[in-house]
Amino acid sequence: MILVARPRLAYTGRVTRLPRHCWAVLATLAVAACDTAGTTEAGLALIIDGAATPPPYAIAFPEAVAGEDEREVALTLTSLGPGALELTGNPAIAIEGDDRLAFSVSEPDRRRLAKGESTSVTVRFAPHAVGASTGRLVIATNAADPVVVALSGNAIDEDVPVLVLTLDGAPLGASFDFGSKALAETATTHLRLANAGTGTLVLGQNTNDIANLEGADAASFALTTPSRASLGEGEHLDLELTFTPERCGLHQASLRLTVAGLAPIVVALSGRGGDNPQGHAGLTDASLLDAPDVAIALSGPFPSAATKHRLAIGNLTVGSYAGRVGTYVWDGCTLSRERAITPATAGLAAQLFGAQVDLADDGQTLLVSARDQRKDAWLFGFSTDDEPRFLGTLATLVEAGGHGRGAALAGDGSAAFVGQALATSGFNAHGAVLVYERPAAGWSAQPEAWMRLLPSIPTKTELVGATVDASRSGDVVVSGALQTAAGAPEKGPAEVLVWEAVRTEGVRRWGREIQLGEPDRRTETLRLVSGVVPLDGLARVAVSADGHTIALSTAEANTVSIRLFVRSGPGELWGIATANEAERGPNATLRITASTAAKMSLGPSGEVVFLADLGGVREYLRPTGGWRDDVPRTTLWNVPVFSLLGLAPDASTLVGTDKAGAAWFFLR
């Protein structure tokens, strides 16, 4: 935030036209003076500061410091003929008006100009007092009425202090959020008041009145008192601003800055308190120990309730493996259970229901799949914190094995993607991903899959659709796969297949067309390779919400390797080139000591990677120069996590379950 009492204005000109009969245009675009009858005996054209200017004429001088600065503008007078032009005034060019002493003009070198001849003068603005000045420059000639040039200028004090406000080096905005902090822990930021102008900046008469905290939760925030009430040229003052939550939940206050000569500056402050990590027992049960991957999803804040998030947990072993999905509302402190969704309550015939769950960012749409169901996945809707309601079935006419092992919902809720890990097309079981787009009438229209995303080399690919993820818009879809030849006894290296959407005449299509006349079957845009065979035979994938970063996680001997493929922007490719033009390699590889059961999540702009297993949760932040192999761990929560990871859309909160069935929220 930058505040200036009197900004310096740049020189600007204003041009309007007289009726056409009153002026003529030359090659220089200079304009002649004329008599009232529209006939010219002698004519005058003016060029101001090198620019031809039609009447009415005006000179607006740049701002000047009173008693010190002098601004100059060159004025050229040209005779248009046909007769000689004579300057008849005394003096030749006069200045009139109440503020005439602030302006002056030099004498022309001659008073008589033949047709085509010119003379130049200098018009000056040298103010002696602060404020605006106006005047008139009058040129009397033998060509009818005198020519008048309006003069204006503004004078300021020599010293112009400029207040610049920053928080930890960033410009101060209208609000600042401290994020989430554990109870009794303190978050700190630094407010800087700087004088970027000239002269002395007076902040106030009393240092206690310059910066104050107001509001119901003001006691949870603190600000050091300014040590002085003024700042010299180039000086600054740093104040420490802190937040220490006194209770679980949202805290709000206002920072009011009262600086002499300026309107009060008010900044809204907020922060959330709670245990970190925060555990909630009894959400799932011990039967989860038999499940390969416990699905979990966490939404962003509800549109109508900024503190509420929705949590969904799949438990596919409940009820003799019929399965169940529990939905909950978390307000940052407490977790309230909504009605559980089972195949029976939803009127569905399914087993292993809840194999995968995903929520739209606003928490109003839930996608549920059933493991190895040969067809169908389901969508449920919510109205804020109401109980879930069945929206519709995502059906397909192309049944295949491994249906529902992987599934993802676009963050904006516009598209759903369901994997068929054992799908075939006359070759080996290579797998596929089914695409569903939300109809104009909404998901209740129950659309069928209208596009299948397939590998370009089906005879050398398997398990496409076993793990699936999508960007927030759904324009980038990724799936893990293995480069395994048909009939090969051993699994091949892990890879990522990427399908990027292209819109043509309003229709969105992912990847590349296999052949003309089959728009519903598409192959990948790109293959990202690891060259490593995972010990558990599974390639776990994630794509950032913005679609610019893709992560591939593979279990190796005593480690988990996370390969990161990054692109600089839309239209660019992910990763780095390899010898094979159809493949790309990783920009960086993180090798992390972890179990083969470790689960991964990726931040919304690829700025952070999370890895969790029974040894705890690890956080890795992207360095300023970009991802590299030796990125150090920045955070570790010593809580064992058994499930997959749910990440809030803004990456402020991570959630997972332990073996005892408790959900743990990790606040960042």
Side-chain angles (χ1 to χ4, degrees):
M1 182 179 290
I2 301 176
L3 301 161
V4 187
R6 291 178 295 273
R8 296 176 181 271
L9 302 178
Y11 169 76
T12 57
R14 181 183 63 186
V15 176
T16 56
R17 294 173 180 264
L18 288 177
R20 182 175 300 174
H21 71 274
C22 286
W23 53 277
V25 181
L26 301 179
T28 61
L29 295 181
V31 181
C34 62
D35 59 24
T36 55
T39 59
T40 303
E41 295 181 358
L44 170 64
L46 298 183
I47 297 177
I48 300 175
D49 242 6
T53 307
Y57 303 110
I59 297 175
F61 288 91
E63 206 166 49
V65 175
E68 180 176 327
D69 289 344
E70 183 177 272
R71 307 299 187 199
E72 296 184 349
V73 170
L75 178 65
T76 300
L77 292 71
T78 300
S79 173
L80 298 178
L85 176 71
E86 295 183 3
L87 303 180
T88 59
N90 187 19
I93 302 175
I95 294 178
E96 301 176 352
D98 293 341
D99 302 324
R100 60 184 179 277
L101 295 180
F103 304 95
S104 63
V105 61
S106 63
E107 279 290 319
D109 59 358
R110 47 188 160 163
R111 285 176 169 261
R112 180 181 176 84
L113 301 173
K115 179 182 179 180
E117 291 183 340
S118 299
T119 185
S120 295
V121 296
T122 300
V123 186
R124 297 181 176 87
F125 173 54
H128 301 286
V130 173
S133 299
T134 58
R136 299 181 302 279
L137 187 147
V138 181
I139 308 172
T141 70
N142 61 334
D145 295 335
V147 174
V148 177
V149 180
L151 305 176
S152 62
N154 187 56
I156 60 174
D157 288 333
E158 180 178 3
D159 295 327
V160 182
V162 178
L163 175 63
V164 178
L165 301 172
T166 57
L167 267 179
D168 282 343
L172 178 65
S175 63
F176 181 77
D177 184 15
F178 281 91
S180 298
K181 294 298 295 182
L183 297 181
E185 286 190 3
T186 299
T188 302
T189 187
H190 294 88
L191 172 66
R192 171 167 289 188
L193 293 76
N195 180 6
T198 59
T200 299
L201 172 64
V202 177
L203 299 174
Q205 297 299 320
N206 189 334
T207 56
N208 292 322
D209 297 332
I210 297 172
N212 290 283
L213 295 167
E214 303 172 346
D217 299 322
S220 297
F221 301 85
L223 182 70
T224 54
T225 301
S227 58
R228 57 186 185 275
S230 63
L231 296 174
E233 183 176 338
E235 291 183 343
H236 66 266
L237 182 63
D238 287 330
L239 307 180
E240 187 176 84
L241 179 62
T242 62
F243 166 60
T244 306
E246 299 177 339
R247 65 180 190 283
C248 188
L250 179 65
H251 297 60
Q252 294 177 312
S254 296
L255 167 63
R256 177 180 289 270
L257 297 173
T258 306
V259 178
L262 296 173
I265 302 162
V266 179
V267 180
L269 302 177
S270 60
R272 290 166 178 80
D275 294 331
N276 192 20
Q278 183 184 124
H280 298 270
L283 269 68
T284 54
D285 53 50
S287 64
L288 284 172
L289 299 179
D290 298 324
D293 288 315
V294 177
I296 190 166
L298 181 66
S299 78
F302 293 169
S304 59
T307 63
K308 292 185 177 182
H309 301 249
R310 178 161 282 109
L311 173 69
I313 302 177
N315 189 338
L316 71 173
T317 63
V318 167
S320 299
Y321 294 92
R324 179 185 69 198
V325 175
T327 62
Y328 311 84
V329 174
W330 179 64
D331 64 3
C333 299
T334 60
L335 195 64
S336 58
R337 183 190 294 268
E338 297 176 309
R339 180 171 64 88
I341 308 170
T342 67
T345 58
L348 307 172
Q351 291 290 311
L352 299 175
F353 181 81
Q356 290 296 325
V357 297
D358 203 3
L359 284 161
D361 288 354
D362 62 5
Q364 307 307 294
T365 307
L366 169 67
L367 169 66
V368 180
S369 73
R371 184 178 177 85
D372 293 341
Q373 178 91 1
R374 293 192 63 84
K375 64 175 184 177
D376 300 345
W378 304 273
L379 288 165
F380 299 84
F382 304 82
S383 296
T384 311
D385 53 357
D386 293 343
E387 292 186 347
R389 67 186 187 282
F390 179 68
L391 289 180
T393 297
L394 301 180
T396 177
L397 298 176
V398 183
E399 297 184 17
H403 189 98
R405 291 190 188 182
L409 182 66
D412 62 6
S414 65
F417 309 90
V418 180
Q420 290 184 322
L422 303 179
T424 64
S425 55
F427 305 100
N428 62 318
H430 48 71
V433 177
L434 303 179
V435 178
Y436 303 82
E437 279 205 277
R438 181 177 55 203
W443 287 116
S444 58
Q446 304 193 49
E448 290 187 357
W450 76 287
M451 191 171 294
R452 297 180 74 210
L453 307 181
L454 300 164
S456 59
I457 313 176
T459 57
K460 295 183 179 180
T461 310
E462 69 171 359
L463 291 180
V464 175
T467 58
V468 178
D469 200 11
S471 64
R472 177 170 288 133
S473 66
D475 283 350
V476 178
V477 183
V478 298
S479 173
L482 299 179
Q483 291 180 330
T484 305
E490 297 181 352
K491 301 293 185 182
E495 63 181 356
V496 184
L497 272 59
V498 184
W499 294 268
E500 185 171 21
V502 176
R503 285 176 169 80
T504 304
E505 297 180 351
V507 178
R508 183 162 55 165
R509 290 187 171 90
W510 286 260
R512 304 176 187 274
E513 193 173 48
I514 293 179
Q515 64 184 50
L516 294 176
E518 294 187 358
D520 60 332
R521 299 173 67 241
R522 314 282 290 186
T523 62
E524 74 273 8
T525 305
L526 195 64
R527 290 165 58 214
L528 308 176
V529 298
S530 71
V532 173
V533 179
L535 290 181
D536 60 355
L538 188 63
R540 294 181 172 88
V541 294
V543 60
S544 59
D546 62 8
H548 292 333
T549 305
I550 296 170
L552 168 63
S553 173
T554 56
E556 301 174 29
N558 301 316
T559 66
V560 168
S561 292
I562 298 178
R563 290 168 175 81
L564 295 157
F565 306 83
V566 184
R567 69 172 178 179
S568 57
E572 301 294 329
L573 297 178
W574 293 265
I576 60 176
T578 65
N580 186 339
E581 292 184 359
E583 299 177 348
R584 304 277 290 185
N587 297 83
T589 300
L590 308 183
R591 301 187 187 279
I592 304 167
T593 300
S595 68
T596 58
K599 312 304 191 299
M600 170 192 63
S601 189
L602 185 62
S605 61
E607 78 285 6
V608 60
V609 171
F610 303 96
L611 193 75
D613 62 6
L614 296 180
V617 181
R618 305 157 182 82
E619 175 188 271
Y620 299 83
L621 292 175
R622 180 179 58 202
T624 302
W627 287 111
R628 60 176 189 266
D629 293 351
D630 60 344
V631 174
R633 186 189 70 212
T634 54
T635 303
L636 173 65
W637 289 283
N638 291 308
V639 175
V641 172
F642 182 73
S643 68
L644 297 173
L645 293 173
L647 182 65
D650 63 357
S652 62
T653 307
L654 188 72
V655 64
T657 64
D658 63 16
K659 277 191 170 184
W664 288 90
F665 292 84
F666 305 93
L667 312 180
R668 302 181 65 242

